[in-house]
Amino acid sequence: MKRVKTTIRNNWQSAVEKLGFGFHTSDIAYWDESVYYSFEPTEIESIEKATAELWEMSLKAVQHVIDHKLYGQFAIPASIIPLIEKSWEQDHPAIYGRFDLCVKDNQIKLLEFNADTPTSLFEAGIIQWFWLKDFNEELDQFNSIHEKLIAYWGFLRRFLHTQTLHVTCLKDSLEDLTNAEYMRDCAIQAGLQTKLIFIDDIGWDEDSKQFIDLEDQPIQNIFKLYPWEWMINESFGEKIAEAGNDPYWIEPAWKMILSNKAILAILWELYPNHSLLLPAYFSADKLTNYVKKPMLGREGANIEVVRGNQPVEKTDGIYGKEGYVYQELFTLPEYDGNFPVIGSWIIGQEAAGIGIRESENLVTDNKSRFVPHLITQTSPTHLHKRLSEK
């Protein structure tokens, strides 16, 4: 794994905007193609294998939490537990997630799992792929995200309710809307009928006990780019368990277990000393060098990095009242003062590709940049033939 400086495209802004990427820059650059990360095929194969293994371990961890009723360790309200268990037992549809990995010194370590509303999907699946085609169309990426999304939506068609797939997100977030519309486009290409509705516009019909859209049509399948822990605290959250038409929420309620950083401690309990895991606990008693993480934190908020029991880096935020998890410190690799995190995607049941975020700090936050990657040699395993009509 190497960080390589390169020349940006003269028309890069218009090039990415033509693809629908409107949030490439705010007060700072988010998309950064002045550098890229290169990987050997063997490194990619290791990441792919690790991602598949972590997914299997995660599913077994969900079963463990449900079997042993460990919801209290996750600060999960009692009112939502029946829906979590129902969605798990009935195998409600799930489509994706993103493992954040540290790759350093020939080791791969899980930092956390973004299992409910992972972002940077569009950048990983589309933007960096077209950058690569402009950079060198003979090279490859670990990136079959787009194909796997379409294929898995096609697979899910037979399991969904027959009505429209609604897609929802916040009204005032361009990033969320872009990712939601990308997911919607993949579903359309898989043959599903879809409709966009903002989270604020979802209605409730008290007579029929159904969520409805702006045309008073029942919502029976809904992809949401909106966290479960936020949703159950909304005014309509208490209605979720009442819905008589039993809608499929994607991602399903059982993802509340995997999207909570308490799962890091559960995984370590189930798989102690596993090479892909870092020691993680619900207290810092056993650790000297560690990262304190809020169970439901987002975008690097409320993180504290501790060395020798002394804090060395800390971020502000609004999270933490739900509790914390303490994970052994395994610092990110440093490249010219930059620290990359590998976001490895699971689509359906398969590893699907990576996206890289880098920061000038140890904590990856909402100001971290997305940078593309490539594989230095063509590997038949990862040669993904893509068509321009994407």
Side-chain angles (χ1 to χ4, degrees):
M1 177 177 168
K2 297 179 180 178
R3 185 179 191 267
V4 182
K5 294 182 180 180
T6 188
T7 303
I8 63 174
R9 293 170 291 178
N10 291 331
N11 63 338
W12 75 266
Q13 292 95 336
S14 60
V16 300
E17 287 168 7
K18 286 178 181 177
L19 296 171
F21 189 30
F23 57 96
H24 54 75
T25 307
S26 54
D27 54 331
I28 58 172
Y30 169 58
W31 168 260
D32 184 3
E33 61 180 61
S34 67
V35 298
Y36 63 85
Y37 283 86
S38 68
F39 295 83
E40 298 292 332
T42 53
E43 293 178 299
I44 292 297
E45 289 165 7
S46 295
I47 293 172
E48 184 176 27
K49 181 181 177 182
T51 302
E53 187 171 358
L54 286 168
W55 176 240
E56 290 299 318
M57 293 161 61
S58 297
L59 293 178
K60 291 177 181 177
V62 173
Q63 188 68 66
H64 176 78
V65 171
I66 291 174
D67 288 346
H68 296 274
K69 309 294 183 184
L70 302 179
Y71 304 108
Q73 294 182 332
F74 290 72
I76 291 176
S79 59
I80 202 67
I81 292 174
L83 184 60
I84 290 175
E85 295 183 347
K86 178 181 180 180
S87 69
W88 177 253
E89 292 163 3
Q90 296 184 358
D91 198 18
H92 285 194
I95 194 163
Y96 72 153
R98 191 192 78 232
F99 291 102
D100 283 351
L101 307 175
C102 177
V103 178
K104 184 177 70 171
D105 300 332
N106 295 316
Q107 298 182 79
I108 299 174
K109 298 293 185 181
L110 173 65
L111 301 179
E112 58 188 68
F113 186 22
N114 297 272
D116 183 20
T117 57
T119 54
S120 74
L121 181 71
F122 184 62
E123 304 92 284
I126 296 295
I127 304 303
Q128 68 169 344
W129 177 260
F130 280 93
W131 165 84
L132 180 64
K133 295 303 97 182
D134 285 343
F135 180 77
N136 187 335
E137 63 181 1
E138 298 300 320
L139 295 176
D140 196 16
Q141 282 177 348
F142 180 26
N143 187 1
S144 60
I145 293 169
H146 187 73
E147 292 84 353
K148 283 188 168 63
L149 283 173
I150 295 172
Y152 205 70
W153 276 120
F155 170 77
L156 289 180
R157 283 183 63 186
R158 74 193 80 170
F159 301 104
L160 297 173
H161 297 302
T162 56
Q163 283 78 3
T164 299
L165 171 69
H166 287 78
V167 174
T168 192
C169 65
L170 284 171
K171 189 174 291 187
D172 56 356
S173 171
L174 179 58
E175 180 179 2
D176 286 4
L177 178 60
T178 301
N179 279 273
E181 285 283 44
Y182 173 51
M183 187 66 83
R184 182 183 173 208
D185 179 66
C186 290
I188 291 171
Q189 291 190 53
L192 279 74
Q193 179 181 341
T194 72
K195 185 186 290 188
L196 177 69
I197 181 170
F198 292 111
I199 196 80
D200 316 66
D201 295 329
I202 294 176
W204 174 257
D205 187 309
E206 184 62 33
D207 293 334
S208 63
K209 301 292 184 182
Q210 294 185 118
F211 290 105
I212 56 175
D213 61 23
L214 292 173
E215 287 76 40
D216 294 332
Q217 296 301 305
I219 294 174
Q220 296 201 284
N221 310 294
I222 181 164
F223 171 82
K224 58 170 196 62
L225 199 62
Y226 196 73
W228 268 104
E229 66 267 20
W230 294 4
M231 196 161 68
I232 60 177
N233 288 314
E234 298 285 350
S235 57
F236 69 82
E238 62 188 37
K239 304 294 184 183
I240 294 173
E242 295 182 35
N245 60 335
D246 197 19
Y248 287 132
W249 296 90
I250 306 170
E251 295 296 294
W254 60 262
K255 282 293 192 77
M256 290 184 68
I257 296 173
L258 289 182
S259 63
N260 188 310
K261 292 179 185 63
I263 198 65
L264 298 172
I266 299 298
L267 283 168
W268 184 252
E269 177 186 328
L270 292 176
Y271 303 97
N273 302 311
H274 194 286
S275 62
L276 296 175
L277 301 178
L278 294 168
Y281 308 97
F282 291 105
S283 73
D285 298 346
K286 299 179 181 180
L287 299 171
T288 302
N289 305 303
Y290 59 87
V291 181
K292 180 182 177 183
K293 300 181 175 183
M295 290 181 181
L296 299 174
R298 292 179 172 274
E299 297 185 322
N302 302 101
I303 298 289
E304 187 171 353
V305 180
V306 175
R307 281 197 181 101
N309 289 318
Q310 297 298 317
V312 296
E313 192 169 324
K314 187 175 182 179
T315 61
D316 297 326
I318 60 173
Y319 305 101
K321 64 180 180 180
E322 69 279 358
Y324 291 87
V325 169
Y326 302 80
Q327 184 184 55
E328 185 174 86
L329 177 63
F330 190 81
T331 55
L332 296 169
E334 182 178 356
Y335 296 83
D336 300 323
N338 298 278
F339 301 91
V341 168
I342 310 298
S344 188
W345 290 90
I346 193 89
I347 306 293
Q349 310 296 319
E350 298 180 321
I354 60 172
I356 301 174
R357 297 282 302 278
E358 69 170 18
S359 174
E360 295 172 0
N361 305 304
L362 288 176
V363 178
T364 306
D365 57 20
N366 60 354
K367 294 184 178 180
S368 300
R369 302 171 299 279
F370 190 101
V371 297
H373 80 280
L374 57 79
I375 303 174
T376 54
Q377 303 171 26
T378 300
S379 169
T381 304
H382 299 106
L383 184 58
H384 307 302
K385 295 180 180 177
R386 295 196 167 195
L387 302 179
S388 61
E389 63 261 22
K390 291 195 316 178

